[in-house]
């Protein structure tokens, strides 16, 4: 039962985008040298992507991918880091289009 619970929790973290957000925060901290917290990352998972949405995207030659972004802005010479994790439709010319499975 505990293995099932851990698997269920892990799956929920992935579906809700939190797994990707944690990795983005860690990577952002290393790359920028500034602490990046989860509060700085707007996170929207794939939970609300419906089969109908996937079918419609496929008809348009697109696919949904969970995309992570990190932006460093300078306001009055002070760096500010913000990030996002959210589903996007990507076209076949996007490098994300051809990724399969979890690639984090």
């Amino acid at each position: 039962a505990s293995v099932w619970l851990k698997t269920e929790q892990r799956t929920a973290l992935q579906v809700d985008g939190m797994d990707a957000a944690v990795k983005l925060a860690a990577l952002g901290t290393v790359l920028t040298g500034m602490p990046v917290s989860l509060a700085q990352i707007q996170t929207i998972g794939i939970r609300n992507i419906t089969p109908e949405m996937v079918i419609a995207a496929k008809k348009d030659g697109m696919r949904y991918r969970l995309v992570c972004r990190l932006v460093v802005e300078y306001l009055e010479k002070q760096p500010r880091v913000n990030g996002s994790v959210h589903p996007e439709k990507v076209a076949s010319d996007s490098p994300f289009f051809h990724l399969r499975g979890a690639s984090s």
Side-chain angles (χ1 to χ4, degrees), residues 26-78:
L27 187 59
T29 297
V30 171
L31 292 176
T32 65
M34 297 179 285
V36 178
S37 71
L38 290 177
Q40 294 168 269
I41 301 173
Q42 178 190 27
T43 305
I44 301 169
I46 60 171
R47 189 174 296 277
N48 294 324
I49 303 294
T50 65
E52 294 79 16
M53 292 168 69
V54 173
I55 291 167
K58 188 173 182 178
K59 284 181 183 176
D60 293 338
M62 303 181 88
R63 293 180 178 157
Y64 278 96
R65 295 291 185 248
L66 191 61
V67 178
C68 301
R69 285 197 170 78
L70 192 72
V71 176
V72 179
E73 300 175 301
Y74 287 86
L75 304 172
E76 299 177 15
K77 298 184 181 183
Q78 295 297 316

